[in-house]
Amino acid sequence: MSEAVSALAGSSAHGFVDVTEAGLVGMVTIRGDYGNTEFRDKVATLLGLNVPDQRQMTTGGTDKLLWMSPDELLLVCPHGEADARVGALSAGLSGAHHLAVNVSDARAAFCVKGTASGVREALAKLSPADLRASVLPVGEVRRTRLAQVPAAIWLESEDRAMVVCFRSVAGYVFDLLTQASKPGSEPRYF
């Protein structure tokens, strides 16, 4: 059995913000009827995290639970724990309409770190989403596009954002983020 390898082996670039491929990150897609209180409560109990409201995330220990759509959550956890989380969710939700899938190796994650304004400026150059702090505060999740590809963005702090995309476009997204953070190209909007 071969050892897991991240999409870009931790590649990084330095500009007015730093862009780093986050390495191996566990990601589990959880689909179900989140309008059903019993289902929400069962997911929360199994994960030890409250189910987040629309466009929000909840955190606990090494885990994050992100709202992705009305019927989908994304659990971000240590890479080596993703399969076990899928097993626990599948067993705990048995009999309920649901889907729990380890998508860790189908996704890539990037950390964008710098000043608060720099992080927002680099991302805003690539996304049509409104990235003002009043619209995208720390802890809120935004599904959007970065140039030509879908992505999810959230700020973990004012000076650190995470970006998740499909692994197949990881090189493209890394190049986009690197180009968007070139020194001297700051729009100085934020």
Side-chain angles (χ1 to χ4, degrees):
M1 178 181 226
S2 62
E3 192 172 320
V5 179
S6 71
L8 300 177
S11 294
S12 63
H14 308 287
F16 67 83
V17 295
D18 295 332
V19 177
T20 306
E21 191 250 353
L24 295 174
V25 177
M27 294 182 229
V28 175
T29 292
I30 310 161
R31 288 190 167 260
D33 180 5
Y34 290 100
N36 179 319
T37 304
E38 184 179 331
F39 183 80
R40 286 175 65 99
D41 291 347
K42 196 175 271 191
V43 169
T45 299
L46 289 166
L47 297 177
L49 293 168
N50 290 329
V51 172
D53 292 330
Q54 183 176 6
R55 292 189 312 270
Q56 301 299 307
M57 70 181 201
T58 56
T59 61
T62 59
D63 295 349
K64 293 174 183 59
L65 190 58
L66 289 70
W67 181 94
M68 300 302 278
S69 73
D71 70 343
E72 180 184 2
L73 299 174
L74 180 67
L75 173 66
V76 179
C77 64
H79 187 268
E81 297 176 15
D83 282 334
R85 303 297 177 85
V86 168
L89 285 161
S90 295
L93 296 171
S94 178
H97 175 72
H98 76 282
L99 173 72
V101 178
N102 181 351
V103 296
S104 307
D105 297 334
R107 305 285 187 269
F110 297 91
C111 176
V112 180
K113 188 170 173 55
T115 65
S117 62
V119 167
R120 290 180 190 277
E121 297 220 354
L123 294 171
K125 290 167 75 174
L126 303 172
S127 172
D130 188 343
L131 299 179
R132 290 175 296 157
S134 61
V135 178
L136 183 67
V138 171
E140 186 164 314
V141 179
R142 184 72 72 240
R143 287 184 79 168
T144 185
R145 299 189 73 74
L146 293 183
Q148 299 299 313
V149 297
I153 298 170
W154 68 92
L155 276 82
E156 295 193 330
S157 64
E158 286 296 337
D159 63 352
R160 178 185 163 102
M162 294 299 295
V163 175
V164 172
C165 66
F166 291 114
R167 183 183 180 109
S168 60
V169 296
Y172 175 71
V173 170
F174 179 75
D175 290 346
L176 287 173
L177 292 167
T178 299
Q179 187 65 33
S181 66
K182 291 281 185 191
S185 70
E186 302 92 322
R188 302 197 196 295
Y189 177 77
F190 295 102

Coordinates of all heavy atoms in Angstrom, one line a residue, residues 7 13 26 36 42 48 57-58 70 73-74 80 89 94-95 104 120 126 133 143-144 164 166 173 178 180-181:
A7 N -1.7 17.0 -2.7 CA -1.8 17.4 -4.2 C -0.5 18.1 -4.6 O 0.0 17.8 -5.7 CB -2.9 18.4 -4.4
A13 N 4.3 29.9 -1.8 CA 4.8 31.1 -2.5 C 4.6 32.2 -1.6 O 3.7 32.3 -0.7 CB 3.9 31.3 -3.7
G26 N -7.9 15.8 6.2 CA -9.1 15.0 6.2 C -10.3 15.8 5.9 O -10.5 16.8 6.5
N36 N -34.4 18.1 9.4 CA -34.9 17.1 10.4 C -34.1 17.3 11.7 O -32.9 16.9 11.7 CB -34.8 15.7 9.8 CG -35.3 14.6 10.8 OD1 -35.0 14.7 12.0 ND2 -36.0 13.7 10.2
K42 N -28.4 13.8 15.8 CA -27.6 12.6 15.7 C -26.2 12.9 15.2 O -25.2 12.4 15.7 CB -28.4 11.6 14.9 CG -27.8 10.2 15.0 CD -28.7 9.2 14.3 CE -29.8 8.7 15.2 NZ -30.5 7.5 14.6
G48 N -19.6 15.3 17.9 CA -19.2 16.2 19.1 C -19.1 17.6 18.7 O -18.4 18.4 19.4
M57 N -19.6 27.8 10.4 CA -18.8 26.6 10.8 C -18.7 26.5 12.3 O -18.9 27.5 13.0 CB -17.4 26.6 10.2 CG -16.5 27.6 10.7 SD -14.9 27.4 9.8 CE -13.8 28.2 11.0
T58 N -18.6 25.3 12.8 CA -18.3 25.1 14.2 C -17.0 24.4 14.3 O -16.6 23.7 13.4 CB -19.5 24.2 14.8 OG1 -19.6 23.0 14.1 CG2 -20.8 25.0 14.8
P70 N -27.8 23.3 1.9 CA -28.9 22.9 2.8 C -28.9 21.5 3.2 O -29.4 21.1 4.2 CB -30.2 23.3 2.0 CG -29.8 24.4 1.1 CD -28.3 24.1 0.7
L73 N -22.8 19.0 4.7 CA -21.8 19.5 5.6 C -20.4 19.0 5.1 O -20.3 17.9 4.5 CB -22.0 19.1 7.0 CG -23.3 19.6 7.6 CD1 -23.5 18.9 9.0 CD2 -23.4 21.1 7.7
L74 N -19.4 19.6 5.5 CA -18.0 19.1 5.3 C -17.3 19.1 6.6 O -17.1 20.1 7.3 CB -17.2 20.0 4.3 CG -15.8 19.6 4.0 CD1 -15.8 18.3 3.2 CD2 -15.1 20.7 3.2
G80 N -5.6 11.2 8.8 CA -5.6 9.8 9.2 C -6.9 9.3 9.9 O -7.1 8.1 10.1
L89 N -20.0 7.6 11.4 CA -21.2 8.3 10.9 C -22.1 7.3 10.2 O -23.3 7.3 10.4 CB -20.8 9.4 9.9 CG -20.3 10.6 10.5 CD1 -19.5 11.5 9.5 CD2 -21.4 11.5 11.1
S94 N -27.3 4.8 10.5 CA -27.9 3.6 9.8 C -29.4 3.7 10.0 O -29.9 4.0 11.0 CB -27.4 2.3 10.5 OG -28.1 1.2 9.9
G95 N -30.1 3.5 8.9 CA -31.6 3.6 8.9 C -32.1 5.0 8.5 O -33.2 5.1 8.1
S104 N -11.1 13.3 1.2 CA -9.8 13.9 1.4 C -8.9 13.9 0.2 O -8.2 14.9 -0.1 CB -9.1 13.1 2.6 OG -10.0 13.0 3.7
R120 N -7.8 39.3 2.2 CA -9.0 39.6 1.5 C -8.7 40.1 0.1 O -9.4 39.8 -0.8 CB -9.8 40.6 2.3 CG -10.4 40.0 3.6 CD -11.3 41.0 4.3 NE -11.6 40.6 5.6 CZ -12.6 39.7 5.9 NH1 -13.4 39.4 4.9 NH2 -12.9 39.3 7.1
L126 N -9.7 37.2 -7.3 CA -10.1 35.9 -8.0 C -11.5 35.5 -7.9 O -12.0 34.7 -8.6 CB -9.2 34.8 -7.4 CG -7.7 35.0 -7.4 CD1 -7.0 33.9 -6.7 CD2 -7.2 35.1 -8.9
A133 N -15.3 42.4 5.4 CA -15.4 41.8 6.7 C -16.8 41.9 7.2 O -17.3 41.0 7.9 CB -14.5 42.5 7.7
R143 N -19.0 29.4 -0.5 CA -18.7 28.7 -1.7 C -18.8 29.6 -2.8 O -19.7 30.4 -3.0 CB -19.8 27.6 -1.9 CG -19.6 26.5 -0.8 CD -20.5 25.3 -1.0 NE -20.1 24.5 -2.1 CZ -20.6 23.3 -2.3 NH1 -21.5 22.8 -1.6 NH2 -20.2 22.5 -3.3
T144 N -17.8 29.6 -3.7 CA -17.7 30.6 -4.8 C -16.8 30.0 -5.9 O -16.7 28.8 -6.0 CB -17.0 31.9 -4.2 OG1 -17.0 32.9 -5.2 CG2 -15.6 31.7 -3.6
V164 N -10.5 25.6 -0.2 CA -10.6 24.2 -0.6 C -11.1 24.1 -2.0 O -12.0 24.8 -2.4 CB -11.5 23.4 0.3 CG1 -11.8 22.0 -0.2 CG2 -10.9 23.3 1.7
F166 N -11.1 21.2 -5.8 CA -10.9 19.8 -6.2 C -9.4 19.6 -6.5 O -8.7 20.5 -6.9 CB -11.6 19.6 -7.5 CG -13.1 19.5 -7.4 CD1 -13.9 20.5 -7.9 CD2 -13.7 18.5 -6.6 CE1 -15.3 20.5 -7.8 CE2 -15.1 18.5 -6.4 CZ -15.9 19.5 -7.0
V173 N -5.2 26.4 -9.0 CA -5.5 27.3 -7.9 C -4.3 27.9 -7.2 O -4.2 29.0 -6.9 CB -6.5 26.6 -6.9 CG1 -6.6 27.4 -5.6 CG2 -7.8 26.3 -7.6
T178 N -0.9 32.5 -6.2 CA 0.5 33.0 -6.3 C 0.5 34.3 -7.1 O 1.1 35.3 -6.7 CB 1.4 32.0 -6.9 OG1 1.4 30.8 -6.0 CG2 2.8 32.5 -7.0
A180 N -2.1 36.3 -7.8 CA -2.9 37.3 -7.1 C -2.2 38.0 -5.9 O -2.5 39.1 -5.5 CB -4.2 36.7 -6.6
S181 N -1.1 37.3 -5.4 CA -0.4 37.9 -4.3 C 0.9 38.5 -4.6 O 1.7 38.7 -3.7 CB -0.2 36.8 -3.2 OG 0.6 35.7 -3.7

